[in-house]
Amino acid sequence: MLGEKIYQLRKRNGLSQEELASKLTVSRQAISKWELGVTTPDTENVVQLSKLFGVSTDYLLDDDLQSDEDAPGFNRPADGSNKSRLRVASYCLIGVGLLGILTLWILSTIMGTSANTEEASLIKVVWIDLQTFLQAYRLDVLFWFFCVLLIVGLFMVLFSQTSKPIEPVRHAKGLDAELDAEVEALNKELAKIKHDIDKMPKMR
């Protein structure tokens, strides 16, 4: 139903009824009545809801559609494809960066001129030989270019792994509990309005 879909989309986007009402320039009571199925939003509000939540109007209005992907003409988001492409691109950057750094290091061991490093550790010797080689053949920029590619690739891998999917909708029991609370609040409002009407002087 439309009301349940509005409720689910509102919760999924972390909006309260007041916040959603403010975005649509309607009252909180209107949002409550929509979610409870007491009233339905007009065409303009349905269009605003579809734009706000990023779903189609067909999905909102057709009770047979369980998800926006079932709507006619829906183009499935390429989130999975985009993540795969991002992962492949990141691995390519890491591979090129590592290959370039390794190539320069191998060339430094073959063609480089070793400095006086008798008392230095092995790592320090390798680094000094590499620095000497890079400076001698003016390959410093190329070396740091490969380093940047490696770092960017690692960041892309980290980003692709830490990106979170959309939070699933809560269990139906939670939905029923909140709907019951909304019904109770609406009944109280109706009772208050009725009480105010009864207190008004009756016309003769």
Side-chain angles (χ1 to χ4, degrees):
M1 294 180 61
L2 175 59
E4 184 175 344
K5 291 178 180 178
I6 294 174
Y7 171 84
Q8 292 175 349
L9 291 169
R10 176 174 66 81
K11 286 297 182 182
R12 185 180 300 177
N13 287 270
L15 296 174
S16 64
Q17 288 186 342
E18 290 81 1
E19 291 170 337
L20 179 57
S22 176
K23 291 180 180 295
L24 299 177
T25 63
V26 298
S27 65
R28 188 199 68 81
Q29 288 79 8
I31 302 296
S32 177
K33 290 178 181 179
W34 294 349
E35 294 182 353
L36 294 172
V38 177
T39 60
T40 56
D42 57 25
T43 304
E44 182 180 354
N45 285 323
V46 170
V47 173
Q48 288 183 333
L49 286 168
S50 69
K51 292 180 178 179
L52 177 63
F53 294 131
V55 297
S56 66
T57 54
D58 290 332
Y59 164 69
L60 290 174
L61 297 175
D62 193 339
D63 293 341
D64 294 332
L65 299 180
Q66 299 300 319
S67 69
D68 199 31
E69 299 178 6
D70 299 330
F74 175 80
N75 294 324
R76 183 181 297 272
D79 290 343
S81 177
N82 289 339
K83 287 183 179 180
S84 299
R85 292 174 183 174
L86 179 64
R87 195 174 294 112
V88 170
S90 63
Y91 290 154
C92 290
L93 290 177
I94 292 173
V96 172
L98 286 175
L99 181 61
I101 293 172
L102 182 61
T103 301
L104 291 176
W105 173 74
I106 293 174
L107 290 175
S108 70
T109 59
I110 298 173
M111 304 171 59
T113 303
S114 299
N116 184 14
T117 55
E118 295 180 357
E119 299 180 357
S121 63
L122 178 60
I123 297 177
K124 191 172 182 179
V125 169
V126 171
W127 173 245
I128 292 175
D129 287 346
L130 180 60
Q131 271 188 317
T132 305
F133 169 76
L134 295 175
Q135 291 173 357
Y137 292 92
R138 298 180 180 179
L139 297 174
D140 307 68
V141 175
L142 184 61
F143 172 77
W144 290 115
F145 173 73
F146 287 134
C147 290
V148 170
L149 290 182
L150 176 60
I151 294 172
V152 171
L154 291 174
F155 271 109
M156 290 173 64
V157 170
L158 182 63
F159 175 78
S160 64
Q161 291 180 349
T162 55
S163 57
K164 296 181 180 179
I166 297 176
E167 182 181 355
V169 181
R170 295 188 306 173
H171 195 271
K173 290 184 178 179
L175 173 62
D176 292 340
E178 184 152 345
L179 286 176
D180 291 340
E182 295 292 346
V183 170
E184 185 178 354
L186 183 59
N187 288 334
K188 289 181 179 179
E189 291 179 6
L190 293 175
K192 184 179 179 181
I193 293 174
K194 184 178 179 182
H195 178 70
D196 293 339
I197 293 175
D198 292 339
K199 291 177 64 177
M200 295 175 61
K202 297 182 179 179
M203 297 181 61
R204 294 183 179 179

